Every structure is written in C-alpha cells, then in structure tokens.
Amino acid sequence: PQELERATQLLSSAEAAQEKRDREVAAHFGYLAEQTARLATQRSRAAVAEQRVAGSQAERDRVLLQAREAEAE
C-alpha cells in the first residue's frame, strides 16, 4: 500500500507539472509514478506467491502426516 500511495503522490506531481507546462518535470514524475506502481504490483504478486507456497507446504505436511498415521495402523 505504501508504494501505491507514493505512486499516487507522484502522479499528482506529474499532473501539477503538466498544468504548469513543464513537460520535462511532468515526464519525470510520470515515469517515477509508473515505476512505483509496477513495484507495488510485483510486491503484491510476490506476497500472493509466498502465501500459496506456505499453503502448499501445509497441505504437504498434512498429507504426509496422514500417510504416517495410515502406516502406523
């Protein structure tokens, strides 16, 4: 969420620069906003992937435990 807030701030700065007809500064802030939003997207995807891995590991452990219990019987 911090990256998205920062991207929003940068986009606002880009828009303000565009209103002042400062194309170079607007392009700079626009670039930073885009890159920051991409970073937020990638971090979000990484967090989802980590959750999936953790869930898969928990499922694996559950299945292994069931197999051990079945062998013990």
Side-chain angles (χ1 to χ4, degrees), residues 1-71:
Q2 290 178 344
E3 286 91 6
L4 290 178
E5 289 176 21
R6 182 67 180 141
T8 301
Q9 292 170 351
L10 289 164
L11 185 57
S12 294
S13 296
E15 290 170 347
Q18 184 68 29
E19 288 176 9
K20 294 178 183 179
R21 306 277 191 236
D22 192 341
R23 298 179 78 192
E24 188 174 315
V25 172
H28 174 70
F29 282 122
Y31 172 80
L32 291 176
E34 180 179 5
Q35 295 304 313
T36 303
R38 287 182 182 189
L39 176 62
T41 300
Q42 292 302 320
R43 285 192 177 173
S44 176
R45 288 179 181 165
V48 168
E50 288 173 5
Q51 289 174 349
R52 286 183 183 162
V53 167
S56 296
Q57 288 173 342
E59 177 65 15
R60 176 183 168 266
D61 292 344
R62 186 187 66 76
V63 169
L64 289 174
L65 180 59
Q66 284 179 342
R68 288 183 191 136
E69 288 174 349
E71 286 178 3

